[in-house]
Amino acid sequence: PAAGQAVMAAARARLARMVRRDGTCLLWTGPVSPDGYGRLVVGCSGTVYYARAHRVAVLLAGRAIPPGQVVRHTCDRPACCN
């Protein structure tokens, strides 16, 4: 639990630093995948992996993402984390 909370706190801080507001969008300004989605480094206990920034934002908002579910943007901008 404590390690998970630390990972979430680090992800929240990085997400806050790496987005900029553009109208109603919060656009990821860090590394992106070839298809334009934000890539956020997440790690715990020495294991590091890339997660899509918009999916991390959904998890940080307290919403679950069931396996196989697509997280869609109402704006349809891949870099948007809002």
Side-chain angles (χ1 to χ4, degrees):
Q5 290 173 350
V7 169
M8 293 298 275
R12 181 175 283 112
R14 182 162 168 78
L15 191 69
R17 283 193 316 270
M18 300 300 290
V19 296
R20 70 172 169 79
R21 183 162 295 280
D22 182 21
T24 60
C25 293
L26 293 174
L27 298 179
W28 179 253
T29 63
V32 295
S33 61
D35 56 0
Y37 287 90
R39 290 172 33 130
L40 179 65
V41 176
V42 180
C44 181
S45 302
T47 302
V48 176
Y49 64 95
Y50 285 98
R52 291 192 177 230
H54 69 289
R55 292 179 69 87
V56 172
V58 168
L59 296 172
L60 290 172
R63 299 192 319 248
I65 305 172
Q69 181 177 354
V70 174
V71 176
R72 301 203 55 96
H73 314 260
T74 56
C75 64
D76 206 28
R77 295 171 79 179
C80 185
C81 295
N82 193 11

